[in-house]
Amino acid sequence: AQADLAIWESLLDGETETKSVNGFASNVGGLVNPTGCISGPTGGGVGLYTIELAWRGSTTMENSTLSTCGDSSGLYGTNNEYRRVIVVTVFMS
């Protein structure tokens, strides 16, 4: 599980995002200050899981109260006005 989380973090950071210029590949980056949150049944197993992803946007907007993922990190502005969040709920069997 720890290895899977490390891979997920590297993907969010954009480690595999590259572009080729004159035959040379260079990193182009990923999300700004990504925070991933996962919740589900205690101990894992069958049930509903919620996967949330927060990142810093480039402009301000009203803070969403849909999710608390990353809201106390200080990464998204004084009032989380730069925080963007996507929430997905899935059933794992």
Side-chain angles (χ1 to χ4, degrees):
Q2 292 299 321
D4 290 340
L5 289 174
I7 291 169
W8 186 38
E9 181 178 353
S10 73
L11 291 172
L12 294 177
D13 289 338
E15 289 184 17
T16 61
E17 296 299 319
T18 60
K19 70 175 182 175
S20 181
V21 176
N22 297 326
F24 296 97
S26 62
N27 288 351
V28 294
L31 296 173
V32 177
N33 295 330
T35 301
C37 304
I38 302 171
S39 61
T42 303
V46 175
L48 284 176
Y49 287 80
T50 301
I51 298 115
E52 302 168 84
L53 179 58
W55 68 96
R56 186 178 177 96
S58 59
T59 59
T60 62
M61 62 184 281
E62 185 176 328
N63 180 30
S64 170
T65 57
L66 173 67
S67 166
T68 59
C69 185
D71 71 349
S72 61
S73 67
L75 297 172
Y76 310 115
T78 305
N79 297 308
N80 292 317
E81 65 272 19
Y82 291 95
R83 186 171 69 111
R84 308 294 191 266
V85 181
I86 185 169
V87 178
V88 177
T89 302
V90 297
F91 179 80
M92 302 290 280
S93 58

